[in-house]
Structure formats: C-alpha cells, structure tokens
Amino acid sequence: MRHLARLADYCSITNMHTKNLAIVWAPNLLRSKQIESACFSGTAAFMEVRIQSVVVEFILNHVDVLFSSKLSSVIRDGAGLCS
C-alpha cells in the first residue's frame, strides 16, 4: 500500500492519483468471490467494485496513519484490554 501511495505522489506526471490507483487495484486487493461468481449481475458487481475502490482510495490517502508503528503499538497494547 505504501508503494501505491508513493506512486500517487507522482500523479502530476503519471495522472495516476489515488482515485485512479484505487480503481485499478481494488479488485485485486479486495477480491470478492461473490463478484467472481456467475450469480452476480453486472450492476451489482459494478456497485461492489465501486465500494472496493472507495475503501482502497481511503487507505491510500491515509496510509501513513493506518500503517504507522505508533498505531500498530496502540492496537497491540489495546488488544489485551478487551480480553
């Protein structure tokens, strides 16, 4: 994810800003067996991919916070409190 976020830093050159990267990469990063099955209609599959791309775009826009060592330690330390 950090690599994709770094690619977005060069969007002025590549025109691959976070939204475009999310559209391209979301189906691979958030693969859904439901979408791949034959029972999913075209419209429903399109809506599912849109949701996936919004999630990936959010992650790319907040990669520094979501994947920071500080957040990881808070989650790790806080995980023991709920047990």
Side-chain angles (χ1 to χ4, degrees):
M1 292 307 277
R2 288 180 192 202
H3 176 71
L4 293 177
R6 272 187 248 123
L7 285 175
D9 290 339
Y10 296 96
C11 65
S12 62
I13 299 167
T14 64
N15 200 32
M16 291 301 287
H17 45 79
T18 55
K19 185 171 187 160
N20 286 345
L21 289 167
I23 289 168
V24 171
W25 283 96
N28 293 306
L29 295 172
L30 301 176
R31 176 167 260 153
S32 171
K33 290 184 181 188
Q34 289 177 331
I35 292 174
E36 293 174 359
S37 71
C39 65
F40 238 70
S41 71
T43 304
F46 177 73
M47 292 303 293
E48 186 74 18
V49 170
R50 283 188 62 208
I51 293 167
Q52 290 174 339
S53 68
V54 168
V55 170
V56 171
E57 183 179 3
F58 177 84
I59 293 169
L60 290 175
N61 285 325
H62 299 92
V63 74
D64 292 335
V65 174
L66 294 171
F67 296 101
S68 73
S69 58
K70 185 176 179 181
L71 181 62
S72 296
S73 66
V74 168
I75 292 171
R76 185 177 53 250
D77 295 343
L81 298 175
C82 297
S83 298

